[in-house]
Amino acid sequence: MGEKITVPLTKLIEDFKLEVVYEPNNLADILITSTDVNRPGIQLAAGYFDYFDNTRIQILGKVEHSFLENLSASERFVAFDNMLSYGIPAVIITRGLPVYEELMDAAKRRGIPVLRTQDSTSYFMAALIASLNTLLAPCVTRHGVLVEVYGEGVLLLGESGVGKSETAVELVKRGHRLVADDAVDIRRVSAKTLVGSAPEIIRHFIELRGVGIIDVKKIFGVGSVKDTEKIDLIIHLENWQQGKQYERLGLKEEYTNILGINIPSIVVPVRPGRNLAIIVEIAAMNNRQKKMGYNAAEELNERLIKQMSQFSSSDLV
Amino acid sequence: MTSKEVVVQNQVGLHARPATFFIQKANEFKSSIWVEKDERKVNAKSLLGVLSLGITKGTQITIIADGVDEEAAIKELVELINTNFAGQQ
């Protein structure tokens, strides 16, 4: 972490099939650091540059285009040149609108790339921001196993040898999907969502003590693996410790924080003979049910309270 | 917590067999041990984790250990890498 995450502008050009209208010499070296983009209406119209963030890509849509049409050529040049003098990473024109000559002149003078898309402005901006959020997401690698169980992304954490990989194989055998074994790359794609995937080299491999490396995709088929999955639940597996109190009711919500996001988590003690795969399945379904608004522990408690209040009122009669 | 940087000099890098020796050695210690390459840090006791880093000849890695035997763990793991896994192959 620590270091600033960047994405090359050329990757965006490739991903969005952008037309390069003006290409400066250093195009390949331009890195995007901001997940935000800007429509420079007020900067072009009023020359208002307070709080102008020069790390953002600037997007020119129909509104900017038609406003600039009413300016004289020299006024247009000044407006563009002013904006480009801040050293922005790129200007992107939407809707396949024509490019003003003055923009080309300013771009050449300042060495700023001018790109163009045929997409409409809002649609393109939403897609670009979503893509930047993923590409620039803070990332961390965790030792664990990520599986998808009944549609829930479950991250199994625990010491080496506690049985994470064995549980994963058992889950796959029961019809669920493996995302990553041993090393899980986790990205924070939004303020609420973590997405995990496997490092490419070891994708869909599992190490089973005593057997060795197995290729889950080859043995169980394409339906048994997935490339990425959001993380809905974290299960900490640990060897059963005598005397330690484990959760009995499930009334209290526990969370584990990864990259600043709290993910619901439980601690499951491991003991020979305990079928972990079934426990993981049930934990996943229970978590899903909670998200849908039903909490079994609360329901049980409510029933108890209701019955107790009935008893106490009949005692009074 | 102890850590040490080391450059892997092994002819083909840390492919499956040398990586196995490495994680077996790491598993001899009680401490938590990690291998860090660039921005990524993995558990040194997990084979797939270490392999996922794709450590080639000349790669600089950092070995980090935390626990009761961290000093010994770092010393022996660095030695294993510096001697190109001699005595293991």
Side-chain angles (χ1 to χ4, degrees), chain A residues 90-124:
Chain A
V91 174
I92 303 179
I93 294 157
T94 59
R95 290 176 163 268
L97 291 163
V99 181
Y100 286 111
E101 249 173 64
E102 296 79 23
L103 175 59
M104 290 300 280
D105 293 342
K108 280 174 196 158
R109 181 166 171 218
R110 304 288 183 181
I112 308 283
V114 177
L115 313 167
R116 183 157 60 179
T117 172
Q118 296 297 324
D119 294 335
S120 72
T121 316
S122 306
Y123 175 83
F124 175 72

PDB file of all heavy atoms in Angstrom, chain A residues 90-124:
ATOM      1  N   ALA A  90      -5.641  14.553 -19.236  1.00  0.00           N
ATOM      2  CA  ALA A  90      -6.204  14.405 -20.584  1.00  0.00           C
ATOM      3  C   ALA A  90      -7.543  15.124 -20.687  1.00  0.00           C
ATOM      4  O   ALA A  90      -8.212  15.378 -19.683  1.00  0.00           O
ATOM      5  CB  ALA A  90      -6.412  12.932 -20.921  1.00  0.00           C
ATOM      6  N   VAL A  91      -7.904  15.443 -21.936  1.00  0.00           N
ATOM      7  CA  VAL A  91      -9.241  15.970 -22.223  1.00  0.00           C
ATOM      8  C   VAL A  91      -9.948  14.907 -23.048  1.00  0.00           C
ATOM      9  O   VAL A  91      -9.382  14.378 -24.004  1.00  0.00           O
ATOM     10  CB  VAL A  91      -9.157  17.286 -23.031  1.00  0.00           C
ATOM     11  CG1 VAL A  91     -10.554  17.746 -23.438  1.00  0.00           C
ATOM     12  CG2 VAL A  91      -8.444  18.360 -22.233  1.00  0.00           C
ATOM     13  N   ILE A  92     -11.180  14.574 -22.647  1.00  0.00           N
ATOM     14  CA  ILE A  92     -11.949  13.601 -23.428  1.00  0.00           C
ATOM     15  C   ILE A  92     -13.224  14.264 -23.934  1.00  0.00           C
ATOM     16  O   ILE A  92     -13.981  14.862 -23.158  1.00  0.00           O
ATOM     17  CB  ILE A  92     -12.299  12.344 -22.605  1.00  0.00           C
ATOM     18  CG1 ILE A  92     -11.024  11.688 -22.065  1.00  0.00           C
ATOM     19  CG2 ILE A  92     -13.084  11.341 -23.462  1.00  0.00           C
ATOM     20  CD1 ILE A  92     -11.265  10.451 -21.217  1.00  0.00           C
ATOM     21  N   ILE A  93     -13.437  14.186 -25.238  1.00  0.00           N
ATOM     22  CA  ILE A  93     -14.630  14.753 -25.849  1.00  0.00           C
ATOM     23  C   ILE A  93     -15.629  13.621 -26.072  1.00  0.00           C
ATOM     24  O   ILE A  93     -15.267  12.548 -26.565  1.00  0.00           O
ATOM     25  CB  ILE A  93     -14.266  15.436 -27.185  1.00  0.00           C
ATOM     26  CG1 ILE A  93     -13.373  16.640 -26.880  1.00  0.00           C
ATOM     27  CG2 ILE A  93     -15.502  15.845 -27.952  1.00  0.00           C
ATOM     28  CD1 ILE A  93     -12.521  17.057 -28.015  1.00  0.00           C
ATOM     29  N   THR A  94     -16.884  13.850 -25.678  1.00  0.00           N
ATOM     30  CA  THR A  94     -17.888  12.788 -25.797  1.00  0.00           C
ATOM     31  C   THR A  94     -18.754  13.003 -27.033  1.00  0.00           C
ATOM     32  O   THR A  94     -18.631  14.014 -27.730  1.00  0.00           O
ATOM     33  CB  THR A  94     -18.783  12.757 -24.542  1.00  0.00           C
ATOM     34  OG1 THR A  94     -19.403  14.022 -24.413  1.00  0.00           O
ATOM     35  CG2 THR A  94     -17.979  12.453 -23.293  1.00  0.00           C
ATOM     36  N   ARG A  95     -19.657  12.068 -27.261  1.00  0.00           N
ATOM     37  CA  ARG A  95     -20.649  12.109 -28.345  1.00  0.00           C
ATOM     38  C   ARG A  95     -20.036  12.249 -29.732  1.00  0.00           C
ATOM     39  O   ARG A  95     -20.727  12.635 -30.681  1.00  0.00           O
ATOM     40  CB  ARG A  95     -21.616  13.289 -28.138  1.00  0.00           C
ATOM     41  CG  ARG A  95     -22.541  13.093 -26.956  1.00  0.00           C
ATOM     42  CD  ARG A  95     -23.390  14.316 -26.729  1.00  0.00           C
ATOM     43  NE  ARG A  95     -24.520  14.004 -25.879  1.00  0.00           N
ATOM     44  CZ  ARG A  95     -25.716  13.634 -26.327  1.00  0.00           C
ATOM     45  NH1 ARG A  95     -25.934  13.521 -27.622  1.00  0.00           N
ATOM     46  NH2 ARG A  95     -26.687  13.354 -25.481  1.00  0.00           N
ATOM     47  N   GLY A  96     -18.732  12.018 -29.848  1.00  0.00           N
ATOM     48  CA  GLY A  96     -18.061  12.153 -31.132  1.00  0.00           C
ATOM     49  C   GLY A  96     -18.122  13.577 -31.678  1.00  0.00           C
ATOM     50  O   GLY A  96     -18.097  13.792 -32.896  1.00  0.00           O
ATOM     51  N   LEU A  97     -18.239  14.562 -30.767  1.00  0.00           N
ATOM     52  CA  LEU A  97     -18.345  15.966 -31.185  1.00  0.00           C
ATOM     53  C   LEU A  97     -17.075  16.423 -31.901  1.00  0.00           C
ATOM     54  O   LEU A  97     -15.989  15.913 -31.621  1.00  0.00           O
ATOM     55  CB  LEU A  97     -18.585  16.858 -29.955  1.00  0.00           C
ATOM     56  CG  LEU A  97     -19.958  16.707 -29.281  1.00  0.00           C
ATOM     57  CD1 LEU A  97     -19.921  17.294 -27.884  1.00  0.00           C
ATOM     58  CD2 LEU A  97     -21.027  17.353 -30.132  1.00  0.00           C
ATOM     59  N   PRO A  98     -17.195  17.386 -32.815  1.00  0.00           N
ATOM     60  CA  PRO A  98     -16.001  17.888 -33.495  1.00  0.00           C
ATOM     61  C   PRO A  98     -15.047  18.570 -32.508  1.00  0.00           C
ATOM     62  O   PRO A  98     -15.484  19.083 -31.477  1.00  0.00           O
ATOM     63  CB  PRO A  98     -16.545  18.896 -34.509  1.00  0.00           C
ATOM     64  CG  PRO A  98     -17.936  19.175 -34.094  1.00  0.00           C
ATOM     65  CD  PRO A  98     -18.431  18.008 -33.318  1.00  0.00           C
ATOM     66  N   VAL A  99     -13.762  18.551 -32.836  1.00  0.00           N
ATOM     67  CA  VAL A  99     -12.753  19.134 -31.938  1.00  0.00           C
ATOM     68  C   VAL A  99     -12.420  20.549 -32.412  1.00  0.00           C
ATOM     69  O   VAL A  99     -12.092  20.751 -33.582  1.00  0.00           O
ATOM     70  CB  VAL A  99     -11.466  18.276 -31.942  1.00  0.00           C
ATOM     71  CG1 VAL A  99     -10.437  18.862 -30.983  1.00  0.00           C
ATOM     72  CG2 VAL A  99     -11.789  16.842 -31.568  1.00  0.00           C
ATOM     73  N   TYR A 100     -12.522  21.515 -31.510  1.00  0.00           N
ATOM     74  CA  TYR A 100     -12.167  22.903 -31.870  1.00  0.00           C
ATOM     75  C   TYR A 100     -10.684  22.988 -32.192  1.00  0.00           C
ATOM     76  O   TYR A 100      -9.856  22.405 -31.485  1.00  0.00           O
ATOM     77  CB  TYR A 100     -12.493  23.847 -30.709  1.00  0.00           C
ATOM     78  CG  TYR A 100     -13.964  24.099 -30.546  1.00  0.00           C
ATOM     79  CD1 TYR A 100     -14.658  23.604 -29.452  1.00  0.00           C
ATOM     80  CD2 TYR A 100     -14.672  24.836 -31.500  1.00  0.00           C
ATOM     81  CE1 TYR A 100     -16.018  23.833 -29.296  1.00  0.00           C
ATOM     82  CE2 TYR A 100     -16.032  25.064 -31.349  1.00  0.00           C
ATOM     83  CZ  TYR A 100     -16.694  24.563 -30.255  1.00  0.00           C
ATOM     84  OH  TYR A 100     -18.033  24.781 -30.109  1.00  0.00           O
ATOM     85  N   GLU A 101     -10.384  23.755 -33.216  1.00  0.00           N
ATOM     86  CA  GLU A 101      -8.980  23.946 -33.598  1.00  0.00           C
ATOM     87  C   GLU A 101      -8.175  24.567 -32.455  1.00  0.00           C
ATOM     88  O   GLU A 101      -7.024  24.237 -32.237  1.00  0.00           O
ATOM     89  CB  GLU A 101      -8.906  24.884 -34.799  1.00  0.00           C
ATOM     90  CG  GLU A 101      -8.460  24.194 -36.063  1.00  0.00           C
ATOM     91  CD  GLU A 101      -8.565  25.141 -37.227  1.00  0.00           C
ATOM     92  OE1 GLU A 101      -7.838  26.158 -37.203  1.00  0.00           O
ATOM     93  OE2 GLU A 101      -9.395  24.890 -38.125  1.00  0.00           O
ATOM     94  N   GLU A 102      -8.851  25.486 -31.708  1.00  0.00           N
ATOM     95  CA  GLU A 102      -8.175  26.176 -30.604  1.00  0.00           C
ATOM     96  C   GLU A 102      -7.777  25.180 -29.518  1.00  0.00           C
ATOM     97  O   GLU A 102      -6.764  25.353 -28.846  1.00  0.00           O
ATOM     98  CB  GLU A 102      -9.082  27.266 -30.004  1.00  0.00           C
ATOM     99  CG  GLU A 102      -9.411  28.395 -30.962  1.00  0.00           C
ATOM    100  CD  GLU A 102     -10.508  28.020 -31.958  1.00  0.00           C
ATOM    101  OE1 GLU A 102     -11.285  27.100 -31.659  1.00  0.00           O
ATOM    102  OE2 GLU A 102     -10.579  28.633 -33.038  1.00  0.00           O
ATOM    103  N   LEU A 103      -8.613  24.127 -29.340  1.00  0.00           N
ATOM    104  CA  LEU A 103      -8.270  23.094 -28.356  1.00  0.00           C
ATOM    105  C   LEU A 103      -7.014  22.346 -28.826  1.00  0.00           C
ATOM    106  O   LEU A 103      -6.104  22.078 -28.031  1.00  0.00           O
ATOM    107  CB  LEU A 103      -9.432  22.118 -28.154  1.00  0.00           C
ATOM    108  CG  LEU A 103      -9.152  20.908 -27.240  1.00  0.00           C
ATOM    109  CD1 LEU A 103      -8.736  21.341 -25.840  1.00  0.00           C
ATOM    110  CD2 LEU A 103     -10.363  19.984 -27.143  1.00  0.00           C
ATOM    111  N   MET A 104      -6.971  22.060 -30.120  1.00  0.00           N
ATOM    112  CA  MET A 104      -5.800  21.373 -30.675  1.00  0.00           C
ATOM    113  C   MET A 104      -4.541  22.223 -30.481  1.00  0.00           C
ATOM    114  O   MET A 104      -3.483  21.715 -30.085  1.00  0.00           O
ATOM    115  CB  MET A 104      -6.004  21.085 -32.168  1.00  0.00           C
ATOM    116  CG  MET A 104      -7.037  20.017 -32.458  1.00  0.00           C
ATOM    117  SD  MET A 104      -6.634  18.423 -31.721  1.00  0.00           S
ATOM    118  CE  MET A 104      -5.438  17.816 -32.896  1.00  0.00           C
ATOM    119  N   ASP A 105      -4.671  23.528 -30.732  1.00  0.00           N
ATOM    120  CA  ASP A 105      -3.520  24.437 -30.584  1.00  0.00           C
ATOM    121  C   ASP A 105      -3.023  24.450 -29.143  1.00  0.00           C
ATOM    122  O   ASP A 105      -1.819  24.330 -28.876  1.00  0.00           O
ATOM    123  CB  ASP A 105      -3.913  25.862 -31.000  1.00  0.00           C
ATOM    124  CG  ASP A 105      -4.204  25.934 -32.495  1.00  0.00           C
ATOM    125  OD1 ASP A 105      -3.780  25.004 -33.212  1.00  0.00           O
ATOM    126  OD2 ASP A 105      -4.864  26.899 -32.918  1.00  0.00           O
ATOM    127  N   ALA A 106      -3.997  24.581 -28.209  1.00  0.00           N
ATOM    128  CA  ALA A 106      -3.624  24.627 -26.790  1.00  0.00           C
ATOM    129  C   ALA A 106      -3.015  23.292 -26.355  1.00  0.00           C
ATOM    130  O   ALA A 106      -2.048  23.255 -25.596  1.00  0.00           O
ATOM    131  CB  ALA A 106      -4.845  24.957 -25.944  1.00  0.00           C
ATOM    132  N   ALA A 107      -3.591  22.191 -26.857  1.00  0.00           N
ATOM    133  CA  ALA A 107      -3.103  20.852 -26.485  1.00  0.00           C
ATOM    134  C   ALA A 107      -1.662  20.657 -26.957  1.00  0.00           C
ATOM    135  O   ALA A 107      -0.834  20.109 -26.232  1.00  0.00           O
ATOM    136  CB  ALA A 107      -4.018  19.785 -27.072  1.00  0.00           C
ATOM    137  N   LYS A 108      -1.385  21.115 -28.176  1.00  0.00           N
ATOM    138  CA  LYS A 108      -0.016  20.994 -28.713  1.00  0.00           C
ATOM    139  C   LYS A 108       0.944  21.841 -27.893  1.00  0.00           C
ATOM    140  O   LYS A 108       2.059  21.427 -27.588  1.00  0.00           O
ATOM    141  CB  LYS A 108       0.022  21.440 -30.179  1.00  0.00           C
ATOM    142  CG  LYS A 108      -0.487  20.357 -31.120  1.00  0.00           C
ATOM    143  CD  LYS A 108      -0.592  20.856 -32.544  1.00  0.00           C
ATOM    144  CE  LYS A 108      -1.456  19.917 -33.364  1.00  0.00           C
ATOM    145  NZ  LYS A 108      -2.019  20.560 -34.552  1.00  0.00           N
ATOM    146  N   ARG A 109       0.494  23.045 -27.530  1.00  0.00           N
ATOM    147  CA  ARG A 109       1.346  23.961 -26.762  1.00  0.00           C
ATOM    148  C   ARG A 109       1.668  23.373 -25.389  1.00  0.00           C
ATOM    149  O   ARG A 109       2.800  23.463 -24.911  1.00  0.00           O
ATOM    150  CB  ARG A 109       0.605  25.293 -26.610  1.00  0.00           C
ATOM    151  CG  ARG A 109       1.392  26.314 -25.853  1.00  0.00           C
ATOM    152  CD  ARG A 109       0.817  27.695 -26.001  1.00  0.00           C
ATOM    153  NE  ARG A 109       1.500  28.591 -25.086  1.00  0.00           N
ATOM    154  CZ  ARG A 109       0.904  29.555 -24.420  1.00  0.00           C
ATOM    155  NH1 ARG A 109      -0.385  29.796 -24.607  1.00  0.00           N
ATOM    156  NH2 ARG A 109       1.599  30.317 -23.607  1.00  0.00           N
ATOM    157  N   ARG A 110       0.669  22.755 -24.758  1.00  0.00           N
ATOM    158  CA  ARG A 110       0.839  22.271 -23.378  1.00  0.00           C
ATOM    159  C   ARG A 110       1.175  20.780 -23.310  1.00  0.00           C
ATOM    160  O   ARG A 110       1.411  20.263 -22.215  1.00  0.00           O
ATOM    161  CB  ARG A 110      -0.447  22.516 -22.572  1.00  0.00           C
ATOM    162  CG  ARG A 110      -0.910  23.966 -22.558  1.00  0.00           C
ATOM    163  CD  ARG A 110       0.001  24.824 -21.695  1.00  0.00           C
ATOM    164  NE  ARG A 110      -0.494  26.195 -21.626  1.00  0.00           N
ATOM    165  CZ  ARG A 110       0.107  27.169 -20.960  1.00  0.00           C
ATOM    166  NH1 ARG A 110       1.225  26.908 -20.302  1.00  0.00           N
ATOM    167  NH2 ARG A 110      -0.380  28.377 -20.950  1.00  0.00           N
ATOM    168  N   GLY A 111       1.101  20.094 -24.435  1.00  0.00           N
ATOM    169  CA  GLY A 111       1.420  18.657 -24.444  1.00  0.00           C
ATOM    170  C   GLY A 111       0.404  17.810 -23.701  1.00  0.00           C
ATOM    171  O   GLY A 111       0.753  16.895 -22.956  1.00  0.00           O
ATOM    172  N   ILE A 112      -0.879  18.144 -23.883  1.00  0.00           N
ATOM    173  CA  ILE A 112      -1.943  17.394 -23.203  1.00  0.00           C
ATOM    174  C   ILE A 112      -2.715  16.577 -24.242  1.00  0.00           C
ATOM    175  O   ILE A 112      -3.126  17.119 -25.272  1.00  0.00           O
ATOM    176  CB  ILE A 112      -2.943  18.367 -22.510  1.00  0.00           C
ATOM    177  CG1 ILE A 112      -2.211  19.364 -21.624  1.00  0.00           C
ATOM    178  CG2 ILE A 112      -4.031  17.589 -21.761  1.00  0.00           C
ATOM    179  CD1 ILE A 112      -1.735  18.853 -20.317  1.00  0.00           C
ATOM    180  N   PRO A 113      -2.923  15.281 -24.004  1.00  0.00           N
ATOM    181  CA  PRO A 113      -3.653  14.477 -24.986  1.00  0.00           C
ATOM    182  C   PRO A 113      -5.138  14.855 -25.091  1.00  0.00           C
ATOM    183  O   PRO A 113      -5.768  15.200 -24.092  1.00  0.00           O
ATOM    184  CB  PRO A 113      -3.507  13.039 -24.460  1.00  0.00           C
ATOM    185  CG  PRO A 113      -3.090  13.159 -23.054  1.00  0.00           C
ATOM    186  CD  PRO A 113      -2.433  14.470 -22.869  1.00  0.00           C
ATOM    187  N   VAL A 114      -5.646  14.786 -26.322  1.00  0.00           N
ATOM    188  CA  VAL A 114      -7.072  15.000 -26.559  1.00  0.00           C
ATOM    189  C   VAL A 114      -7.645  13.698 -27.099  1.00  0.00           C
ATOM    190  O   VAL A 114      -7.139  13.142 -28.076  1.00  0.00           O
ATOM    191  CB  VAL A 114      -7.302  16.146 -27.567  1.00  0.00           C
ATOM    192  CG1 VAL A 114      -8.794  16.308 -27.846  1.00  0.00           C
ATOM    193  CG2 VAL A 114      -6.702  17.441 -27.052  1.00  0.00           C
ATOM    194  N   LEU A 115      -8.672  13.192 -26.415  1.00  0.00           N
ATOM    195  CA  LEU A 115      -9.251  11.903 -26.790  1.00  0.00           C
ATOM    196  C   LEU A 115     -10.733  12.084 -27.085  1.00  0.00           C
ATOM    197  O   LEU A 115     -11.327  13.083 -26.698  1.00  0.00           O
ATOM    198  CB  LEU A 115      -9.071  10.901 -25.642  1.00  0.00           C
ATOM    199  CG  LEU A 115      -7.669  10.831 -25.024  1.00  0.00           C
ATOM    200  CD1 LEU A 115      -7.692  10.054 -23.724  1.00  0.00           C
ATOM    201  CD2 LEU A 115      -6.694  10.183 -25.998  1.00  0.00           C
ATOM    202  N   ARG A 116     -11.304  11.107 -27.770  1.00  0.00           N
ATOM    203  CA  ARG A 116     -12.717  11.240 -28.114  1.00  0.00           C
ATOM    204  C   ARG A 116     -13.425   9.897 -28.042  1.00  0.00           C
ATOM    205  O   ARG A 116     -12.877   8.858 -28.370  1.00  0.00           O
ATOM    206  CB  ARG A 116     -12.850  11.826 -29.508  1.00  0.00           C
ATOM    207  CG  ARG A 116     -14.305  12.067 -29.915  1.00  0.00           C
ATOM    208  CD  ARG A 116     -14.419  13.091 -30.982  1.00  0.00           C
ATOM    209  NE  ARG A 116     -13.698  12.680 -32.189  1.00  0.00           N
ATOM    210  CZ  ARG A 116     -13.672  13.428 -33.304  1.00  0.00           C
ATOM    211  NH1 ARG A 116     -14.299  14.581 -33.352  1.00  0.00           N
ATOM    212  NH2 ARG A 116     -13.009  13.009 -34.353  1.00  0.00           N
ATOM    213  N   THR A 117     -14.684   9.950 -27.566  1.00  0.00           N
ATOM    214  CA  THR A 117     -15.528   8.754 -27.543  1.00  0.00           C
ATOM    215  C   THR A 117     -16.828   9.076 -28.254  1.00  0.00           C
ATOM    216  O   THR A 117     -17.229  10.241 -28.337  1.00  0.00           O
ATOM    217  CB  THR A 117     -15.820   8.300 -26.098  1.00  0.00           C
ATOM    218  OG1 THR A 117     -16.781   7.261 -26.134  1.00  0.00           O
ATOM    219  CG2 THR A 117     -16.379   9.425 -25.240  1.00  0.00           C
ATOM    220  N   GLN A 118     -17.506   8.036 -28.739  1.00  0.00           N
ATOM    221  CA  GLN A 118     -18.803   8.245 -29.395  1.00  0.00           C
ATOM    222  C   GLN A 118     -19.940   8.198 -28.369  1.00  0.00           C
ATOM    223  O   GLN A 118     -21.061   8.580 -28.670  1.00  0.00           O
ATOM    224  CB  GLN A 118     -19.033   7.150 -30.455  1.00  0.00           C
ATOM    225  CG  GLN A 118     -18.033   7.161 -31.608  1.00  0.00           C
ATOM    226  CD  GLN A 118     -18.100   8.450 -32.421  1.00  0.00           C
ATOM    227  OE1 GLN A 118     -19.162   9.021 -32.629  1.00  0.00           O
ATOM    228  NE2 GLN A 118     -16.937   8.926 -32.866  1.00  0.00           N
ATOM    229  N   ASP A 119     -19.628   7.737 -27.134  1.00  0.00           N
ATOM    230  CA  ASP A 119     -20.670   7.572 -26.119  1.00  0.00           C
ATOM    231  C   ASP A 119     -21.212   8.912 -25.635  1.00  0.00           C
ATOM    232  O   ASP A 119     -20.540   9.936 -25.717  1.00  0.00           O
ATOM    233  CB  ASP A 119     -20.105   6.815 -24.902  1.00  0.00           C
ATOM    234  CG  ASP A 119     -19.742   5.387 -25.258  1.00  0.00           C
ATOM    235  OD1 ASP A 119     -20.327   4.867 -26.219  1.00  0.00           O
ATOM    236  OD2 ASP A 119     -18.865   4.819 -24.581  1.00  0.00           O
ATOM    237  N   SER A 120     -22.431   8.882 -25.087  1.00  0.00           N
ATOM    238  CA  SER A 120     -23.002  10.103 -24.502  1.00  0.00           C
ATOM    239  C   SER A 120     -22.279  10.407 -23.187  1.00  0.00           C
ATOM    240  O   SER A 120     -21.695   9.522 -22.561  1.00  0.00           O
ATOM    241  CB  SER A 120     -24.492   9.924 -24.261  1.00  0.00           C
ATOM    242  OG  SER A 120     -24.688   9.054 -23.185  1.00  0.00           O
ATOM    243  N   THR A 121     -22.338  11.675 -22.762  1.00  0.00           N
ATOM    244  CA  THR A 121     -21.503  12.144 -21.656  1.00  0.00           C
ATOM    245  C   THR A 121     -21.765  11.413 -20.336  1.00  0.00           C
ATOM    246  O   THR A 121     -20.826  10.887 -19.731  1.00  0.00           O
ATOM    247  CB  THR A 121     -21.690  13.659 -21.450  1.00  0.00           C
ATOM    248  OG1 THR A 121     -21.679  14.272 -22.735  1.00  0.00           O
ATOM    249  CG2 THR A 121     -20.597  14.231 -20.590  1.00  0.00           C
ATOM    250  N   SER A 122     -23.031  11.379 -19.895  1.00  0.00           N
ATOM    251  CA  SER A 122     -23.330  10.772 -18.587  1.00  0.00           C
ATOM    252  C   SER A 122     -22.984   9.296 -18.582  1.00  0.00           C
ATOM    253  O   SER A 122     -22.404   8.775 -17.628  1.00  0.00           O
ATOM    254  CB  SER A 122     -24.811  10.926 -18.253  1.00  0.00           C
ATOM    255  OG  SER A 122     -25.172  12.264 -18.349  1.00  0.00           O
ATOM    256  N   TYR A 123     -23.353   8.623 -19.656  1.00  0.00           N
ATOM    257  CA  TYR A 123     -23.090   7.196 -19.763  1.00  0.00           C
ATOM    258  C   TYR A 123     -21.590   6.922 -19.695  1.00  0.00           C
ATOM    259  O   TYR A 123     -21.126   6.064 -18.955  1.00  0.00           O
ATOM    260  CB  TYR A 123     -23.677   6.687 -21.092  1.00  0.00           C
ATOM    261  CG  TYR A 123     -23.367   5.250 -21.382  1.00  0.00           C
ATOM    262  CD1 TYR A 123     -24.126   4.219 -20.829  1.00  0.00           C
ATOM    263  CD2 TYR A 123     -22.306   4.917 -22.221  1.00  0.00           C
ATOM    264  CE1 TYR A 123     -23.837   2.901 -21.094  1.00  0.00           C
ATOM    265  CE2 TYR A 123     -21.998   3.596 -22.491  1.00  0.00           C
ATOM    266  CZ  TYR A 123     -22.772   2.598 -21.921  1.00  0.00           C
ATOM    267  OH  TYR A 123     -22.463   1.294 -22.186  1.00  0.00           O
ATOM    268  N   PHE A 124     -20.832   7.720 -20.452  1.00  0.00           N
ATOM    269  CA  PHE A 124     -19.385   7.528 -20.492  1.00  0.00           C
ATOM    270  C   PHE A 124     -18.756   7.833 -19.131  1.00  0.00           C
ATOM    271  O   PHE A 124     -17.884   7.105 -18.650  1.00  0.00           O
ATOM    272  CB  PHE A 124     -18.761   8.409 -21.572  1.00  0.00           C
ATOM    273  CG  PHE A 124     -17.260   8.343 -21.597  1.00  0.00           C
ATOM    274  CD1 PHE A 124     -16.613   7.210 -22.070  1.00  0.00           C
ATOM    275  CD2 PHE A 124     -16.497   9.397 -21.108  1.00  0.00           C
ATOM    276  CE1 PHE A 124     -15.235   7.136 -22.075  1.00  0.00           C
ATOM    277  CE2 PHE A 124     -15.114   9.328 -21.107  1.00  0.00           C
ATOM    278  CZ  PHE A 124     -14.486   8.199 -21.592  1.00  0.00           C
TER     279      PHE A 124
END
